[in-house]
Amino acid sequence: MTTLNCSFVEVDHLMKYLELVFYVPIFLLGVVLNVLALLLFCVFLSKWTEATIYMTNLVFMDLLLLFPLPFKMHAASNKWAAHHRGFCSFLESLYFVGMYGSIYTITCISVDRWLAICYPFRAKRLRSPAAALGTCVAVWVAMVAAISPIYGFREAIDGDFHCFHGFSKKAWRPAVIVCLEVLGFLWPALVLVCCSTQTIWTLDRSGQQSPKSRACVRVIYSSLFAFLAPFTPSHLAILLQFLVHQGVIQDCKTKTRVSLFLQMAMCLSNITCCLDAVCYYFIAREVRSPKRVRSLRLTVTERLRSTSEM
């Protein structure tokens, strides 16, 4: 690939091998962990709670993200015929629905936990398995609607092409990138960090330092890590690549570095399929001990009430 006499051949050649190094273990480990998690939530945990519904939805989002990876690996070193353009757009849409669906599902889990711990009385009215299921359906509808414009991001030209690469200028319009960065990452990240911080603060304020409280804090930190570690570098790289397309970054050497950073960050963002397994582990332990969860909520409520009355 060349742009205004700036060659990206070395970057593309390097990424052919790096994508295999990243994607093969991510795909194999991700499939195994998510299938096991699906069996755990659907077979071994008999009661459907808000937590199991959200986590099951996250499993499906992760599997949707994993499904296109073999095609993505093939497209890295092979051009596809022009008549496969529609199938390529379909795979790209699945990939981004899975990615941003995971982002919003993790955010919903954080909000649900914040509501349960910080506002236990209000949570009795607002939280229910039916409400959790409705929220998951809304996330699916919103993600499909938001990603549907991707079918118009490929130029209608004849000849072979590289799938998952070479989006048209439509994909790099300011309105598209602003929506992607703000609604796709910054807003969910802000909600996640605020809810997590307030939940941890509420637990500390309650003075409850039991294993139940520590387990809840571990879930919160694992959710934060599973969100920020894979998605922060990728969205920073998208912003930098946008600056390249806008002509803000013009130095050829800098452009090649941004291209390499973008492709590596997008590869690493798929590790969320494996990091979510940490959340599955802690959530499963919590769901298997519902009495412990209720006890934690009651203790936090009583401590907060007594503190406010002092």
Side-chain angles (χ1 to χ4, degrees), residues 5-310:
N5 299 322
C6 189
S7 175
F8 296 87
V9 174
E10 292 185 2
V11 173
D12 294 340
H13 181 72
L14 176 62
M15 288 308 303
K16 288 180 183 179
Y17 300 99
L18 287 181
E19 284 193 358
L20 291 175
V21 172
F22 288 133
Y23 285 153
V24 170
I26 288 175
F27 178 77
L28 295 176
L29 186 61
V31 169
V32 171
L33 291 176
N34 282 278
V35 169
L36 289 176
L38 194 61
L39 290 174
L40 173 66
F41 290 124
C42 295
V43 178
F44 296 104
L45 296 179
S46 57
K47 186 178 180 180
W48 284 98
T49 65
E50 296 86 356
T52 53
I53 290 173
Y54 283 124
M55 296 307 296
T56 302
N57 189 68
L58 185 58
V59 170
F60 282 116
M61 289 296 185
D62 285 342
L63 290 174
L64 193 67
L65 179 61
L66 287 167
F67 175 75
L69 287 190
F71 300 97
K72 202 170 187 293
M73 287 186 281
H74 179 270
S77 55
N78 297 277
K79 286 188 174 183
W80 290 14
H83 63 273
H84 289 143
R85 196 172 302 276
F87 180 61
C88 171
S89 295
F90 173 70
L91 291 174
E92 290 168 344
S93 65
L94 291 183
Y95 180 80
F96 287 109
V97 167
M99 174 180 292
Y100 289 99
S102 296
I103 286 176
Y104 270 86
T105 303
I106 293 173
T107 305
C108 289
I109 293 171
S110 178
V111 172
D112 180 73
R113 186 172 303 281
W114 165 77
L115 189 62
I117 298 298
C118 299
Y119 301 96
F121 296 113
R122 192 178 303 174
K124 291 180 180 180
R125 294 185 292 104
L126 299 178
R127 295 177 74 247
S128 68
L133 182 60
T135 302
C136 291
V137 171
V139 168
W140 278 94
V141 172
M143 292 304 104
V144 171
I147 301 300
S148 59
I150 200 171
Y151 284 90
F153 287 169
R154 287 206 164 272
E155 297 178 356
I157 57 176
D158 297 329
D160 297 344
F161 68 100
H162 278 294
C163 189
F164 291 95
H165 297 278
F167 288 110
S168 69
K169 292 182 179 179
K170 293 180 181 179
W172 295 100
R173 288 178 300 178
V176 174
I177 300 302
V178 168
C179 289
L180 188 71
E181 293 286 335
V182 175
L183 299 179
F185 176 70
L186 291 177
W187 173 248
L190 180 63
V191 172
L192 179 68
V193 171
C194 290
C195 289
S196 300
T197 302
Q198 188 172 358
T199 303
I200 293 174
W201 179 80
T202 300
L203 291 171
D204 290 340
R205 184 186 172 195
S206 70
Q208 179 74 1
Q209 299 296 327
S210 67
K212 296 171 290 186
S213 177
R214 290 194 294 269
C216 185
V217 171
R218 284 196 294 267
V219 176
I220 297 170
Y221 281 126
S222 65
S223 297
L224 277 171
F225 183 73
F227 183 99
L228 296 175
F231 297 126
T232 302
S234 60
H235 286 84
L236 174 61
I238 290 172
L239 177 60
L240 292 175
Q241 186 67 16
F242 169 70
L243 297 179
V244 171
H245 281 270
Q246 293 298 306
V248 177
I249 298 177
Q250 298 182 354
D251 178 67
C252 182
K253 190 173 183 179
T254 304
K255 286 183 178 180
T256 56
R257 289 177 176 175
V258 169
S259 178
L260 179 61
F261 176 47
L262 174 63
Q263 296 185 60
M264 291 187 65
M266 293 302 294
C267 288
L268 289 173
S269 66
N270 297 285
I271 202 172
T272 184
C273 301
C274 303
L275 294 179
D276 288 339
V278 180
C279 300
Y280 302 153
Y281 170 74
F282 289 123
I283 290 288
R285 288 187 60 185
E286 180 179 319
V287 171
R288 290 181 63 184
S289 304
K291 292 182 179 180
R292 292 171 57 188
V293 179
R294 288 195 298 269
S295 175
L296 174 60
R297 291 173 185 163
L298 289 173
T299 303
V300 171
T301 303
E302 291 171 356
R303 294 294 180 88
L304 291 179
R305 182 186 296 167
S306 62
T307 302
S308 62
E309 292 175 351
M310 290 178 62

